[in-house]
Each structure stands twice: as C-alpha cells, then as structure tokens.
Amino acid sequence: MSIHSENRKKVTVKSIAKYKGSEKIVMITAYDRLFANLFESQVDMILVGDSLNMSFLGRNDTLSANLEQMIYHTKAVCNGANTPLVVFDMPYGSYNSKEEALKNAVRVYKETDADAIKIEGGSDRVDIVEHLTKNGIAVVSHIGLMPQFVRGDGGYIVRGKTPEDEAELLKDAKMLEQAGAFAMVLEGIKTDVAAKITDEISIPTIGIGAGLGCDGQVLVWSDMFGFFEEFTPKFVKKYLDGANLIREALGEYVDEVKEGKFPTDRYSY
Ligand code: KIV
C-alpha cells in the first residue's frame, strides 16, 4: 500500500519530464475538493476530466461538458490538490481554432490554478498545440481513442490494430511532441503500439487502456472505485466495491432512522 509522505514537492510541468524512464506517473481524475484532497498525497497528476459529464451528470458521452462547468470543478480540485500537477480537460468545442483555443485556455489560467490543459487530437491539432505552447500554456495531448470524437467515429474504437493506423498514431505523437506538448495521454491503443510510441517520443506518455508500456497510467476515479455501474470497460480495474459499500452504509442509516435508533444521545444536544 502506498501512502506517500506529506512533504512531497509540487509536481510541475518541468519535474514531470524527469519521471520518464525512472518512475511511473500516477494520474487520477477528480472533480471536487473532497476527492482531490483524498488523492493528493499519493498521485502525481490530477485530471479534471470531461468524463465528469458521464460519471456525475449521467450523459452517454463527454460532449456536453462546457467551459463554465469545467472551470467550476477545476477551482474545487485546485482547492484540494496542493502537490499534484492539475490538468484541465478542454471541453468539446472549446478549441476548434488556435485563436479560440488560446482565448479559452487563457481564461482557464486566469480563473483557476490549473497547471496545464489537455486537448484531444492528432496532427490536425498541431497548429493549436504550437500556438498554445508559444503563448505560455502547458499542453497535454490526447491521442488514440478520443472520447470527444466518439459520435463522428461511430463508437469507442480501439486504435493501432493495422500497420497504417500504427503509423498514423506514431506520426501524430511525434508531431505533437514537436509542437510543444509536454505529456501525452494514450487512450484505447494496442499495447505494443502504445509501447512503441512511448519509446519513440521523449515526453512522458500516460496510458488508459493502452497497456503497461506507457510512462504512467490514468483512470477515472468513479470507475476504479466501483461507483460507476452503467458499464465497465475492459481497461478498468475496480480497486474498491464503492457502490455496494455506500448501499450497505446507507441501509444501516435508513434502518436506524426508521426504527427510531438514530440519533441517540451521543448525536443530540
Ligand atoms: O475525461 C477524462 O477523464 C479523460 C481520461 C479518460 C483520460 O480524458
């Protein structure tokens, strides 16, 4: 069990580069202060992901997330996360051009304490990544299975299954690195292809459904702790039976209230 010390140093865009080849990066999503604070002493990076709108709003995909919501949740996360590097997930439709991307990313930097932003997309987003990084915005790229493209792609499709697709992913990764991205999420990519990308670029890769060869891993907290029950993708390992633990505890509370056993004197004035 890993409980890191309370005097860890702040993880920065610069220090995260040093993990490559020496220590695996642990990233988790968080959407509020409470959970960011629970996670903060053990993880290296926190992603305020637009997965928020699936886990907590109940939508079928992430496309409904907007800038206002993401800013609100990122402010909450930053209030609880002192040492992890906090990444703001730019919502669908907020970075369609380089001008729009910069305007919105500047707003994110002004209104939150996020250390970096994440954008989905391959070579088609290179000019945007370049424009953002030249203007002082730290960018995490996200390639492979890109949830913001799910409607256009016709579903959640694992990438890297053909030599052509492998070549495209490799090209994308190299171009995004060149454009200035300091880290890259690899989602839903065949293990060998993700490992190859990791070997061929000098920035850290963070996998989700991309196998052991990545420089780090990210999971959505409500998936890995068993709270999201609608479906479980193959790459999600459940580290806790969260929903059932809550049900049991709630059942105890309900019984005690119904039976007039709560509150006892201990909980009364
Ligand atoms: O929104 C999110 O949580 C993400 C992760 C799945 C990487 O983008």
Side-chain angles (χ1 to χ4, degrees), residues 29 31 47 49-51 89 118 142 185 187 208 218 220:
T29 65
Y31 313 106
L47 172 67
D50 58 3
S51 51
D89 204 4
K118 174 170 86 62
H142 179 154
V185 169
E187 178 164 0
I208 174 161
V218 56
V220 171

Side-chain angles (χ1 to χ4, degrees), residues 213-229:
C214 301
D215 297 308
Q217 298 293 327
V218 56
L219 283 176
V220 171
W221 83 257
S222 44
D223 292 344
M224 64 183 288
F225 296 141
F227 287 98
F228 185 71
E229 296 182 301

